[in-house]
Amino acid sequence: MKLAVLGGGGFRVPLVYGALLRDTARPRVDEVVLYDVSAERLEAIGHVLEQLAGSEREIKVHTTTDLDAALGGADFVFSAIRVGGLAGRTADERVALELGLLGQETTGPGGIAYGLRTVPVAVRVAERIAAVAPDAWVINFTNPAGMITEAMQSVLGERVVGICDSPIGLIRRAASALALDPARVSPDYVGLNHLGWLRGLTYQGRDVLPDLLADDEALERVEEARLFGNEWVRTLGVLPNEYLHYYYFARESIASITGRDLTRGESLERQQERFYAAVRERPDHALTEWEQARRERDASYMAEARTGERDAADLEAGGYEGIALALMGALARGEPSTMILNVRNGSAVPGLPADAVVEIPCVVTGSGIKPLATSPLDGRFLGMVQQVKAAEQATIEAALTGSPRLAVAAFALHPLVDSVGTARLLFDGYRARIPTLAATFPG
């Protein structure tokens, strides 16, 4: 099988390649093509992969800056592009923070700005996939994952699916806190990407989530409970996705981020500049440099929200790469699996449009992906989901039409933006700082 990785010069590509090397089931990927707009980054990651494989080079790796060459004949496409690079992410964060709002990659105004410049590129990529690899399954890593998946589905339909490691991490931690095997529990999880809740956890026919919520000692072993506090998760009666910290504790999050010398984007930009420079100077040490940089990156994830160090088990458990390979295996080998994925809603989540991409449990087989119906969301959750989805869909329409009016509406509709006037300032600020947005919305 051929796998095309878009954004192939990205820092996390070795995680995917390492997982592929460990995957011995048949059929397996025997050719990987890395595509990126940066030949220099491709060369650096190529050195890392070569050293990661060592003498075990059963999987051929090619690099290219030609999109059609990467896509042609692909069975699977992993899309992990970052339009505007980390400089764009830094602008996403800083423009919002300068207006006293949350500056974060996927949540709030930063996520909308990221979507506005990424949607047109993602749709063009989808059009090329339709032309040269129409039978490929597209697994989308690109953030904001739900929004970008929804935009690509307008071209490729349900052969595009988005993935995220936050829900499976939450479920794994909740089950482990109760000394249960995470593979033997059934989660009632529902929402959007980076906006969902674990409402139930069934084990041997019984919902054990109330047991967890009632147990102080067990909750201490769940990072999300530490993020939100036992009192708040008990008030909600659910375990929220970690990204909901930015909604439930917006003021505290803004204060924590502005109290740091660097935003997350600025920190990663400096870290990756050091990594790529080090590989240029000492390509024979590429894997060592990457492993050190990866440890630093993982340990600092969402540091502005946490009060302590990340659990060692979380750092070792892996993330996107494991979910992507499990999904690919279920589709290619016909091994039934239930996974939480970003898929077209249909009628699975009452109260949301049929074409909205939602994050819910799905059954995956060789025949495709079937979303599982969910029970209705309580009003306190549904209202938030509906409002964020409206902002996402306005973002997609604005990006594809170049309408400044819709772009302002996308910001104004988001619950983390507090006025239409502020929305206009955000739009003007992002357009001034990000060249691709200025090109999309001229004048």
Side-chain angles (χ1 to χ4, degrees):
M1 293 193 300
K2 175 181 175 179
L3 168 65
V5 180
L6 312 184
F11 185 79
R12 293 202 295 187
V13 169
L15 296 173
V16 173
Y17 188 65
L20 289 171
L21 291 174
R22 296 188 296 271
D23 182 25
T24 58
R26 298 287 178 180
R28 65 173 300 190
V29 171
D30 53 18
E31 180 184 7
V32 175
V33 180
L34 307 182
Y35 162 80
D36 205 289
V37 296
S38 169
E40 181 180 349
R41 289 168 65 90
L42 282 173
E43 183 179 8
I45 294 300
H47 288 307
V48 176
L49 301 194
E50 183 178 0
Q51 292 163 33
L52 191 62
S55 59
E56 301 293 326
R57 298 183 184 176
E58 298 178 13
I59 304 175
K60 295 179 289 185
V61 178
H62 308 286
T63 62
T64 182
T65 56
D66 184 324
L67 179 60
D68 280 10
L71 294 173
D75 299 286
F76 287 90
V77 177
F78 288 178
S79 180
I81 61 176
R82 181 177 286 282
V83 179
L86 287 171
R89 176 173 181 169
T90 295
D92 294 342
E93 296 165 340
R94 283 296 177 193
V95 169
L97 290 169
E98 288 164 5
L99 290 169
L101 301 176
L102 177 73
Q104 207 278 331
E105 177 190 22
T106 65
T107 305
I112 293 171
Y114 191 12
L116 285 172
R117 69 174 182 274
T118 304
V119 163
V121 177
V123 168
R124 287 197 294 271
V125 167
E127 289 169 348
R128 296 317 304 155
I129 294 170
V132 303
D135 295 326
W137 280 97
V138 181
I139 300 176
N140 179 52
F141 298 67
T142 301
N143 277 323
M147 187 193 302
I148 302 306
T149 300
E150 188 167 326
M152 294 183 79
Q153 283 190 352
S154 67
V155 177
L156 296 170
E158 296 178 14
R159 292 190 78 82
V160 183
V161 58
I163 63 171
C164 183
D165 56 356
S166 289
I168 191 62
L170 169 58
I171 293 158
R172 182 180 63 241
R173 289 184 284 272
S176 298
L178 292 169
L180 299 176
D181 180 355
R184 299 184 64 189
V185 299
S186 298
D188 175 10
Y189 183 93
V190 62
L192 309 178
N193 181 239
H194 291 180
L195 188 78
W197 299 266
L198 180 63
R199 302 184 298 179
L201 196 66
T202 300
Y203 177 73
Q204 294 184 344
R206 187 173 74 86
D207 183 7
V208 296
L209 184 63
D211 298 347
L212 175 58
L213 294 178
D215 188 331
D216 283 332
E217 185 177 344
L219 279 178
E220 277 300 308
R221 296 193 286 272
V222 181
E223 184 167 352
E224 286 78 1
R226 297 197 299 271
L227 277 175
F228 295 99
N230 292 2
E231 180 182 359
W232 184 239
V233 298
R234 285 173 178 149
T235 298
L236 293 175
V238 299
L239 279 175
N241 182 294
E242 59 196 344
Y243 280 83
L244 274 154
H245 189 273
Y246 297 122
Y247 292 85
Y248 292 136
F249 295 90
R251 290 176 183 266
E252 294 85 350
S253 296
I254 294 167
S256 179
I257 294 170
T258 54
R260 295 172 178 267
D261 293 334
L262 301 174
T263 66
R264 174 70 169 168
E266 290 164 342
S267 176
L268 291 178
E269 189 172 14
R270 292 190 182 186
Q271 181 192 89
Q272 291 197 18
E273 284 174 354
R274 290 195 301 269
F275 162 71
Y276 287 104
V279 175
R280 282 196 304 272
E281 293 175 9
R282 303 176 65 191
D284 55 326
H285 287 71
L287 179 58
T288 301
E289 294 287 350
W290 178 82
E291 288 174 336
Q292 178 179 334
R294 180 204 169 190
R295 285 192 294 270
E296 293 173 3
R297 178 188 179 113
D298 286 350
S300 62
Y301 174 69
M302 286 191 75
E304 72 277 2
R306 291 195 317 275
T307 57
E309 298 295 318
R310 291 190 73 188
D311 289 341
D314 283 338
L315 294 175
E316 295 166 2
Y320 286 85
E321 70 279 4
I323 300 169
L325 262 67
L327 174 58
M328 189 166 62
L331 290 168
R333 298 168 192 146
E335 303 165 352
S337 179
T338 300
M339 310 177 67
I340 294 174
L341 301 170
N342 285 268
V343 294
R344 185 180 186 275
N345 179 40
S347 59
V349 182
L352 290 177
D355 62 347
V357 163
V358 295
E359 192 168 76
I360 56 174
C362 303
V363 174
V364 186
T365 68
S367 301
I369 300 169
K370 180 182 179 182
L372 298 177
T374 65
S375 58
L377 281 161
D378 289 353
R380 54 190 169 158
F381 306 136
L382 179 61
M384 189 182 297
V385 168
Q386 288 175 326
Q387 193 171 356
V388 172
K389 177 51 67 176
E392 288 186 352
Q393 293 192 325
T395 302
I396 294 171
E397 188 177 357
L400 295 179
T401 62
S403 167
R405 178 178 57 82
L406 286 173
V408 170
F411 288 113
L413 289 170
H414 199 284
L416 292 178
V417 177
D418 53 12
S419 79
V420 176
T422 301
R424 292 185 178 123
L425 292 174
L426 282 165
F427 178 62
D428 290 340
Y430 284 123
R431 189 165 52 175
R433 291 274 293 271
I434 301 172
T436 51
L437 279 190
T440 302
F441 302 96

